[in-house]
Amino acid sequence: MFSVINVFSQNSVDVVTTKKIDSLYREDQFYFGFTLNTLQNKPTGLTQNKFSPGVSFGFLRDMPINKKRTIAIAPGLGFAINNYNQNLAVTLNNTTPVYEVISTDYRKNKISHFLVEVPLEFRWRSSTYESYKFWRIYGGFKLGYLLYDRSVYDKSNSKIIVSNNKDFNKMHYGAYLSTGYNSLNVYVYYGLNSLFKTAKTSTESIDMNALNIGIMFYIL
């Protein structure tokens, strides 16, 4: 992306060496993000009183669509691990999951999801081939497939672990926005469907979706 010209004299003869500028550059093809995960449309009494972290990483193929290369589309492939600390306990009655909003009498209660994701971004940036520092606004749609899930209910005298819960939606999808300058970018993702396919407490259905807010880093 940079032009480097060196001029030096050797026996009174000027010698010029030039490194050619790549005007067909691509930007931001690897990404790494860290989020705080929150739940929306929660059942009555459900709270999140601990930090719920998430991490995502992957590759996006930057494909500029204008001559200045400031507008692009970028399909990609990545992975995400999302944790949700809350007070909805998942237990089993034989092999059937049972859901209950619990009191404070527990040490840990967490749902973890491991997903493969397919993002598609529409990108605007103020970049040039001479600078790596620029403003960006990247928005898009993300489709995720749930590879593995794990719920942990750890109370004072026992620990209950439920994995591969059939009540979770396998397909997750939502819209997101990433914007910022240089390396630091604010990232927001809003899930457009429920984490659960069919689930309910003793009194109501569980139709929670995700709102994840954090920071995103891009690497060439």
Side-chain angles (χ1 to χ4, degrees):
M1 291 176 63
F2 291 96
S3 176
V4 179
I5 300 176
N6 297 319
V7 180
F8 58 93
S9 179
Q10 184 177 11
N11 297 325
S12 300
V13 177
D14 290 335
V15 179
V16 179
T17 61
T18 303
K19 183 178 180 180
K20 186 179 292 185
I21 294 173
D22 179 12
S23 61
L24 301 180
Y25 67 94
R26 301 177 187 269
E27 295 287 3
D28 299 342
Q29 300 208 98
F30 293 92
Y31 67 90
F32 176 82
F34 183 77
T35 57
L36 170 64
N37 298 336
T38 65
L39 294 167
Q40 308 299 301
N41 303 313
K42 299 186 292 289
T44 303
L46 190 144
T47 60
Q48 290 183 267
N49 54 11
K50 290 184 179 180
F51 182 71
S52 297
V55 62
S56 60
F57 56 92
F59 175 80
L60 288 152
R61 179 60 170 174
D62 187 75
M63 297 188 294
I65 58 176
N66 68 331
K67 187 174 181 180
K68 291 184 177 180
R69 307 182 80 79
T70 56
I71 299 175
I73 58 173
L77 181 67
F79 296 92
I81 301 172
N82 290 320
N83 297 291
Y84 301 95
N85 288 299
Q86 31 66 48
N87 63 331
L88 179 70
V90 183
T91 58
L92 289 174
N93 181 5
N94 293 323
T95 59
T96 302
V98 177
Y99 306 93
E100 179 187 3
V101 176
I102 54 178
S103 67
T104 57
D105 186 23
Y106 63 93
R107 290 184 292 189
K108 177 192 295 184
N109 192 70
K110 180 174 70 171
I111 293 171
S112 300
H113 285 169
F114 179 58
L115 305 103
V116 60
E117 297 185 322
V118 180
L120 178 63
E121 285 186 359
F122 180 79
R123 298 175 154 194
W124 172 87
R125 64 264 181 139
S126 62
S127 64
T128 70
Y129 54 76
E130 296 173 324
S131 175
Y132 289 102
K133 297 181 180 181
F134 51 86
W135 291 97
R136 62 171 63 78
I137 301 175
Y138 295 169
F141 180 84
K142 183 182 295 185
L143 179 67
Y145 181 79
L146 182 62
L147 296 175
Y148 179 74
D149 63 84
R150 188 171 186 260
S151 303
V152 179
Y153 174 30
D154 186 0
K155 50 185 180 177
S156 57
N157 57 355
S158 65
K159 179 187 289 188
I160 300 171
I161 299 175
V162 179
S163 58
N164 297 316
N165 186 340
K166 62 182 181 181
D167 289 342
F168 283 122
N169 263 319
K170 284 293 186 181
M171 301 303 298
H172 295 226
Y173 54 88
Y176 66 92
L177 179 69
S178 179
T179 182
Y181 179 76
N182 196 13
S183 298
L184 183 61
N185 301 275
V186 176
Y187 172 84
V188 179
Y189 167 85
Y190 185 79
L192 297 175
N193 70 324
S194 173
L195 299 180
F196 287 90
K197 179 171 54 180
T198 54
K200 62 181 181 178
T201 67
S202 58
T203 59
E204 59 186 304
S205 296
I206 305 172
D207 297 310
M208 298 184 296
N209 59 311
L211 173 62
N212 304 337
I213 301 172
I215 54 176
M216 184 68 69
F217 300 94
Y218 292 99
I219 306 170
L220 288 177

